[in-house]
Amino acid sequence: MCAIARNERDYLLEWVAYHRLAGFDGIHVYDNVSDDGTSELLAALDAAGVVHRTHWPRKEGIPPQRHAYQHFLENHAGRYDWVLVCDLDEFVVPRTGTVKDFIRRGTERDPAVTAYALPWLVFGSGGQEEKTPGLVIERFTNCAERPGPSVKTLFRSDAVLAMRTHIADLMWGRYADNRHQRPQWSDRMPIDLVDAEDGEVLVHHYFTKSRAEWVERRKLPKADRATVSHRHLAMYDRYERLPREETRAAVMADRVRAEVRQLEEVVRRLPGRRLDPVVLTVSRDGVIGTVDGLEPGQDCAVRVVIDDVVERVVGCDRVVDGRPAFFVVGKWNEVPTKRVRVSVVGGRRAVKAVSDARRDPREVLETVQRALPGAEEKILTLGLELARTEEGADQLAKTLSATFEKFPWYGALLEGLTALHRGDSRGRDVLVDAAGRWPEGMRQLAEKLTEKDVQYALGLLDRHGLCTTTLAGPPTTA
């Protein structure tokens, strides 16, 4: 089974549990960048071997749903004899037995069949206004009087050229319907059936759920559109009261609940369950952090999502402040590293963080000096950012504590500037001395001050009879 999902945290375990019981050996979910805990739960289920998860961000001009289906066909479908693609509000419901039993009966009747058109039976809210506890399959039993024309396709993996949202393009073989008969397709809409019946298998489509759930759901863009498109609120009213009560899936509720409890226990036993990430710094250099609860010598997998597009899964193979740490390179990604979402694979929560450029520079400098005392280039950059303004220079003077062993001229520049800011004329001597001891290093710093337009620092130098030319050349006297 293959599906694409976004923000399905409250429904995911039920959907997975149900379809494991319905006879599906493998479940592949393409995660369309969820932010409600779905991604973390999917990553945990993937780590436990329950599902196969693929990070799948929306790309401009490409419908993520069909793109995901094609990726699945090219990379995973060949592991299985038969495949079905559907959504997380759809449940495949055999009248008897499992999906495997339906396929076996079909192939015995006609081996030439390579795809089955399984009709939708659309369920509405039954008048329910609010979201209530319980399984979807037992909360909602009010449905259309008969199956509609729309279908989902169960197909042989070796017979399909491409997968559309509802039907497959076959290379060989033919379609049958859920009665093992040749389907009658609509000439107006050739992806629809004209004679859909209950048959042996239906796809229960829990389209609206309650009004509150529909309101929340309509905020998400449709996955089958290349551009962002939302459902209309008025559509809900069409499905509020439907004429039929159907409990074929609901009778599975006890078994599904038991399977959900087993999945919850599997996730609970994952080692990452008790671990929480701590993000220290986010910049174009990369994302650096530690993991609370992880002891020295231990490791875990950390998932870092950059701007909802790039995903990296890394280990804690660095050491920061004596603790295991993770690092993800920020350069050369598809998007700039402006915001991240970080979680431990198997963990319960994700933390969000923004680029250091959008945080308090003093706070960032304090963190970097404490946790990354050897990151001299980064400390210099943060120091110069503060030195752009008088207020920032005041914060720099109170915060700077780093020791620059590799690049001592970095320390001399920041020390000299902070001394001048405090009104200490010895700062001039520090800078002049540094220009004599490390002329090339100070020349590069002088160029950096000008290129980055560190205005307050440049003003300090000017007021004390110094300039970038002075720093770059032989020392002069006032």
Side-chain angles (χ1 to χ4, degrees):
M1 173 170 281
C2 170
I4 186 169
R6 183 174 183 185
N7 287 2
E8 300 279 3
R9 175 66 176 81
D10 293 344
Y11 312 107
L12 178 61
L13 284 180
E14 176 189 355
W15 184 85
V16 171
Y18 177 91
H19 286 103
R20 282 161 63 94
L21 294 172
F24 289 93
D25 294 324
I27 297 176
H28 291 251
V29 181
Y30 285 75
D31 182 0
N32 191 209
V33 192
S34 302
D35 59 11
D36 70 336
T38 298
S39 294
E40 289 70 41
L41 180 54
L42 278 172
L45 292 171
D46 181 274
V50 175
V51 304
H52 304 266
R53 171 189 174 269
T54 302
H55 175 68
W56 203 253
R58 179 181 287 271
K59 296 182 178 180
E60 186 175 355
I62 300 176
Q65 188 174 40
R66 288 182 62 178
H67 190 206
Y69 294 165
Q70 199 62 30
H71 182 273
F72 175 79
L73 288 177
E74 293 172 357
N75 294 278
H76 304 296
R79 305 177 194 177
Y80 309 100
D81 297 324
W82 290 81
V83 170
L84 183 135
V85 296
C86 68
D87 301 326
L88 266 77
D89 59 357
E90 297 170 343
F91 288 68
V92 182
V93 185
R95 181 176 292 277
T96 60
T98 67
V99 173
K100 292 178 182 177
D101 297 323
F102 170 77
I103 294 170
R104 187 189 67 253
R105 291 191 295 270
T107 53
E108 288 174 352
R109 292 179 61 160
D110 187 351
V113 172
T114 54
Y116 290 98
L118 307 181
W120 263 356
L121 182 61
V122 177
F123 286 69
S125 69
Q128 298 181 55
E129 292 290 315
E130 302 297 329
K131 182 180 179 181
T132 57
L135 300 176
V136 168
I137 57 174
E138 62 179 353
R139 284 199 292 141
F140 303 104
T141 57
N142 184 238
C143 66
E145 186 171 1
R146 57 180 295 160
S150 294
V151 302
K152 285 300 174 85
T153 296
L154 177 67
F155 59 86
R156 273 187 60 158
S157 62
D158 58 357
V160 170
L161 176 66
M163 184 67 214
R164 307 186 201 182
T165 305
H166 293 271
I167 63 171
D169 295 329
L170 299 178
M171 294 188 295
W172 55 276
R174 66 174 184 83
Y175 259 93
D177 64 16
N178 63 342
R179 296 166 291 175
H180 302 291
Q181 297 176 9
R182 190 180 294 271
Q184 299 297 311
W185 298 103
S186 167
D187 56 0
R188 183 185 64 84
M189 183 68 70
I191 64 172
D192 288 349
L193 297 179
V194 297
D195 59 346
E197 298 287 347
D198 278 12
E200 294 187 22
V201 180
L202 288 172
V203 176
H204 286 195
H205 186 196
Y206 297 94
F207 184 52
T208 66
K209 302 185 178 74
S210 68
R211 183 183 296 273
E213 288 164 283
W214 176 261
V215 170
E216 187 65 27
R217 190 69 186 162
R218 66 180 292 272
K219 297 176 184 177
L220 299 177
K222 295 180 180 179
D224 61 350
R225 301 290 193 274
T227 57
V228 174
S229 175
H230 298 270
R231 296 174 175 86
H232 295 291
L233 183 59
M235 189 180 292
Y236 170 87
D237 297 329
R238 293 167 49 190
Y239 300 93
E240 188 172 11
R241 298 284 183 183
L242 296 172
R244 172 177 166 183
E245 290 294 317
E246 173 58 61
T247 60
R248 196 184 310 179
V251 298
M252 292 275 291
D254 288 341
R255 292 180 62 200
V256 171
R257 265 190 290 270
E259 183 73 9
V260 167
R261 286 193 293 269
Q262 290 186 24
L263 295 179
E264 289 173 336
E265 183 58 30
V266 167
V267 170
R268 199 161 26 243
R269 289 199 300 265
L270 291 172
R273 197 67 177 165
R274 299 174 298 280
L275 305 176
D276 290 311
V278 178
V279 179
L280 298 174
T281 176
V282 178
S283 70
R284 67 185 301 271
D285 295 321
V287 183
I288 303 172
T290 58
V291 176
D292 279 349
L294 195 66
E295 299 297 328
Q298 293 182 331
D299 194 9
C300 67
V302 178
R303 194 175 64 89
V304 179
V305 179
I306 301 172
D307 276 53
D308 287 343
V309 174
V310 175
E311 180 181 80
R312 299 284 185 266
V313 179
V314 297
C316 288
D317 55 0
R318 310 296 170 93
V319 176
V320 168
D321 208 14
R323 303 169 60 192
F326 61 87
F327 172 65
V328 171
V329 175
K331 299 177 181 177
W332 309 300
N333 287 317
E334 300 171 47
V335 291
T337 309
K338 295 181 178 179
R339 56 192 174 91
V340 298
R341 183 180 177 91
V342 182
S343 61
V344 175
V345 174
R348 291 169 292 187
R349 69 183 187 95
V351 297
K352 297 179 181 179
V354 298
S355 168
D356 295 345
R358 298 168 62 186
R359 296 170 56 198
D360 180 350
R362 179 179 178 178
E363 176 190 328
V364 177
L365 179 58
E366 288 176 339
T367 299
V368 171
Q369 287 183 134
R370 184 193 73 251
L372 309 167
E376 297 181 12
E377 187 75 37
K378 190 172 187 66
I379 293 170
L380 172 70
T381 299
L382 292 168
L384 294 183
E385 185 63 32
L386 285 169
R388 289 179 180 276
T389 65
E390 182 176 2
E391 180 184 1
D394 192 53
Q395 294 178 337
L396 177 62
K398 296 175 181 177
T399 306
L400 186 64
S401 62
T403 300
F404 294 86
E405 295 185 359
K406 184 178 182 182
F407 305 116
W409 50 95
Y410 288 5
L413 176 65
L414 295 178
E415 179 188 349
L417 288 174
T418 54
L420 294 177
H421 170 72
R422 291 193 299 264
D424 186 345
S425 61
R426 287 176 295 182
R428 186 180 189 283
D429 297 333
V430 171
L431 294 171
V432 171
D433 178 65
R437 297 177 63 186
W438 305 292
E440 182 59 26
M442 291 300 286
R443 183 189 64 77
Q444 293 177 11
L445 289 181
E447 291 176 355
K448 183 170 290 191
L449 286 172
T450 303
E451 289 171 4
K452 292 185 174 295
D453 194 23
V454 187
Q455 294 182 0
Y456 181 71
L458 291 170
L460 277 177
L461 295 175
D462 184 63
R463 289 196 297 274
H464 288 82
L466 295 169
C467 62
T468 54
T469 303
T470 305
L471 295 183
T476 62
T477 56

